Amino acid sequence: MRPSGRELNEMRAVSIETGFTKHAEGSALIKIGDTHVLCTATIEDRVPPFIKGSGLGWVTAEYGMLPRATNTRMRRESTAGKQGGRTVEIQRLIGRSLRAGVDRVALGERQITVDCDVLQADGGTRCASITGGWVALRLAVNKLMKAGDVISDPLVDPVAAISCGIYAGQPVMDLDYPEDSEAGVDGNFIMTGTKRLIEVQMSAEGSTFSRNQMNQLMDLAEKGVGELVTAQRAATA
């Protein structure tokens, strides 16, 4: 029934390669099917002005897509002189999602910036960015702990994200582009490793959905996030 031949509750193949770049304090190349995102984490001994002197740390994110991440070339946003609304919305989502798993007191007054660059897109780029971004963040924090710059682990719970939706009348997990472009209902679910919700983005894309269908999608999302957290932990063990 699905274009890929997957079961309704089956996600695409997931791989996470750590230490992908030389210079970043943490880096990971996450591949979820044909969606590939490079995530890097940078530690800086400064924080935004609005929390300076508070003793709190900060985690933020930036997101972008390479011109040929999609089947036709996209113009670089830098040549347009500004970021598009979609880019701004996604990077804010990544930042607040990652912060939900961080004890900012334990992090101390420093900033970690997670850059998520989409090398290839086939649906679910924001979810892959959050999931891979957490791995890059984990690796960067490991360096802080090893150096003795932080005393207790500021990462209190893993964070991962997955898309689920109604495709051809059926609830499905981890939509690829052919499904995402035709889904009647599309949702992004961001959760912690202990299945606490951080954010749910759901919308009807051509048909309404029932409370029961939403519950079915929530169940799929819990299963998918559980599998992603297992992959995150294996990658950073």
Side-chain angles (χ1 to χ4, degrees):
M1 189 276 295
R2 303 183 72 175
S4 63
R6 288 181 286 145
E7 298 294 329
L8 300 179
N9 64 349
E10 181 184 355
M11 72 168 53
R12 293 168 288 178
V14 177
S15 72
I16 304 175
E17 180 181 349
T18 58
F20 192 77
T21 64
K22 176 179 179 180
H23 300 294
E25 284 76 33
S27 68
L29 175 66
I30 183 168
K31 297 180 180 180
I32 300 181
D34 287 333
T35 290
H36 303 170
V37 184
L38 174 60
C39 304
T40 57
T42 301
I43 303 170
E44 299 175 282
D45 289 324
R46 64 180 183 86
V47 292
F50 64 87
I51 58 169
K52 190 172 183 179
S54 68
L56 297 174
W58 189 248
V59 175
T60 189
E62 294 189 12
Y63 168 94
M65 298 181 70
L66 294 186
R68 282 313 306 265
T70 54
N71 59 354
T72 58
R73 186 184 187 276
M74 298 180 300
R75 183 184 182 190
R76 293 183 190 272
E77 291 183 324
S78 59
T79 64
K82 65 177 182 178
Q83 290 181 312
R86 176 181 179 274
T87 297
V88 172
E89 183 257 324
I90 290 176
Q91 66 187 27
R92 286 177 177 173
L93 170 67
I94 298 167
R96 63 179 177 265
S97 297
L98 296 178
R99 286 194 296 273
V102 177
D103 180 345
R104 291 167 55 206
V105 174
L107 181 60
E109 200 164 316
R110 59 177 54 84
Q111 174 171 287
I112 301 180
T113 300
V114 178
D115 288 292
C116 302
D117 293 288
V118 180
L119 309 182
Q120 183 170 282
D122 187 41
T125 61
R126 70 186 68 194
C127 294
S129 296
I130 291 168
T131 304
W134 179 263
V135 173
L137 180 62
R138 171 77 274 173
L139 296 172
V141 168
N142 285 351
K143 288 194 174 183
L144 286 173
M145 294 176 65
K146 185 175 181 180
D149 293 329
V150 296
I151 299 171
S152 60
D153 189 354
L155 302 189
V156 295
D157 205 357
V159 174
I162 192 165
S163 64
C164 297
I166 306 294
Y167 174 78
Q170 296 289 330
V172 296
M173 175 197 294
D174 186 27
L175 284 73
D176 54 24
Y177 180 75
E179 294 171 330
D180 187 36
S181 61
E182 296 185 11
V185 176
D186 184 19
N188 298 303
F189 300 80
I190 303 97
M191 300 183 189
T192 68
T194 52
K195 299 182 180 179
R196 302 286 294 177
L197 286 168
I198 298 172
E199 189 156 338
V200 176
Q201 300 178 327
M202 283 193 67
S203 60
E205 302 286 351
S207 64
T208 59
F209 56 98
S210 67
R211 175 66 176 270
N212 182 58
Q213 287 176 314
M214 182 172 181
N215 290 341
Q216 290 176 311
L217 295 178
M218 285 292 305
D219 290 341
L220 286 176
E222 282 194 0
K223 179 180 184 294
V225 166
E227 294 175 13
L228 290 170
V229 169
T230 296
Q232 288 174 325
R233 286 175 169 152
T236 56

